[in-house]
Amino acid sequence: MIKIQEEDFNIEDEINRIKLQHLNVGAVSTFIGYVRSLNNQQKVTSINLEVYKDMAYKSLEDICLKAQEKWNMIDVLIIHRFGKLNVKEKIVLVATFSMHRKESSDACNFIMDYLKKDAPFWKKEFYDDNYEWLENTRLTN
Amino acid sequence: MIIKYFAWLKNITNIEEEKVDDKNITDVKTLKEFLLKKYPQLDQYMKKEDDFIRVAINLEYVTTNEPLNSKDEIALFPPVSGG
């Protein structure tokens, strides 16, 4: 399931909602990204996340399918927020559900690597008296 | 065709999207030529690595010179920073 939304979410509720649908889930791996208070040696006050929503849904669905082909996944959940987010707020949750630990953790990392590299989101980071558009480090593989 | 601009590219174009109807635009290459004439400031970024400004046609990234038609939705992106 892919959700792209402005509002915050409860991690445990979101995971339980999916887990209850699958009695064979033995492992759930998660990545949670937060807005941190320091970046590029500057004090961050907030960020604004822009998204190309139609394409983001499509590209995240594609990567979930790839992960499900590569590993024996039972389900995948991605929630990515957009709009204004303050320090300490959640940005993204990726949760992968499988029977065994290695499949879920490998798939979770795979999805996050892709998301960082290709998913059409842009962070504008605000400091006390200026701002900067961020660029993710490019992966070589 | 519709052309959409994202993040700081909008500071150059001053618009989020526009409808372009020009018979000379037949593929990605001619679209880039058209945009460089209209927005000369794009030149410094287009000249960077090949994929610095990325292009998507109908929600799919393209890296080669693909043909375009009048109903396409084109998006121009700076490097992404999600997650």
Side-chain angles (χ1 to χ4, degrees):
Chain A
M1 179 181 285
I2 315 286
K3 295 182 181 180
I4 297 171
Q5 61 188 50
E6 282 194 85
E7 60 273 21
D8 196 9
F9 53 88
N10 181 292
I11 297 165
E12 195 165 359
D13 289 349
E14 296 288 347
I15 288 173
N16 281 339
R17 197 170 296 134
I18 291 184
K19 201 161 67 61
L20 286 170
Q21 298 168 26
H22 307 287
L23 294 176
N24 54 344
V25 168
V28 181
S29 294
T30 57
F31 172 85
I32 307 153
Y34 293 93
V35 183
R36 64 173 184 267
S37 61
L38 195 67
N39 194 30
N40 296 328
Q41 296 173 322
Q42 296 190 82
K43 190 181 159 207
V44 177
T45 54
S46 65
I47 65 168
N48 195 74
L49 258 160
E50 185 175 328
V51 60
Y52 182 14
K53 217 174 188 180
D54 291 346
M55 185 167 170
Y57 272 114
K58 186 176 184 309
S59 59
L60 293 176
E61 278 161 11
D62 288 349
I63 194 60
C64 286
L65 285 175
K66 275 186 196 160
Q68 280 168 320
E69 282 167 16
K70 214 167 154 70
W71 293 279
N72 194 16
M73 303 304 303
I74 295 167
D75 214 331
V76 176
L77 170 66
I78 302 176
I79 305 176
H80 203 304
R81 295 177 67 195
F82 65 94
K84 187 187 178 211
L85 301 178
N86 293 314
V87 170
K88 296 195 281 190
E89 285 198 71
K90 294 188 282 293
I91 301 170
V92 63
L93 166 70
V94 173
T96 47
F97 302 75
S98 64
M99 290 177 76
H100 306 291
R101 173 177 60 94
K102 190 163 190 328
E103 291 160 338
S104 66
S105 64
D106 287 353
C108 188
N109 286 331
F110 174 82
I111 290 169
M112 267 317 296
D113 283 351
Y114 168 83
L115 191 154
K116 286 272 190 190
K117 186 169 75 74
D118 275 345
F121 292 88
W122 297 270
K123 282 193 196 100
K124 189 177 188 180
E125 193 166 70
F126 290 88
Y127 313 109
D128 280 336
D129 51 7
N130 60 341
Y131 68 82
E132 191 173 325
W133 285 99
L134 302 186
E135 177 182 347
N136 284 345
T137 308
R138 296 190 188 197
L139 300 170
T140 52
N141 56 359
Chain B
M1 64 190 68
I2 301 279
I3 308 177
K4 296 188 169 190
Y5 306 100
F6 290 91
W8 51 261
L9 282 181
K10 286 182 290 190
N11 298 345
I12 295 174
T13 60
N14 289 317
I15 44 169
E16 290 186 7
E17 66 175 69
E18 62 185 319
K19 196 167 186 304
V20 171
D21 188 13
D22 187 315
K23 276 183 261 174
N24 296 319
I25 302 173
T26 55
D27 54 20
V28 173
K29 185 171 175 280
T30 47
L31 172 67
K32 283 184 176 175
E33 286 164 4
F34 170 87
L35 292 173
L36 281 173
K37 262 188 207 159
K38 190 166 183 184
Y39 307 110
Q41 274 182 282
L42 284 177
D43 188 49
Q44 57 183 308
Y45 304 108
M46 295 275 198
K47 274 183 186 160
K48 285 186 157 193
E49 312 129 73
D50 277 349
D51 61 346
F52 185 78
I53 302 286
R54 296 168 87 173
V55 177
I57 304 174
N58 301 325
L59 313 182
E60 296 270 3
Y61 286 120
V62 295
T63 53
T64 51
N65 184 28
E66 301 293 330
L68 297 175
N69 74 58
S70 60
K71 288 184 180 165
D72 284 337
E73 177 176 304
I74 318 293
L76 257 69
F77 298 177
V80 298
S81 50

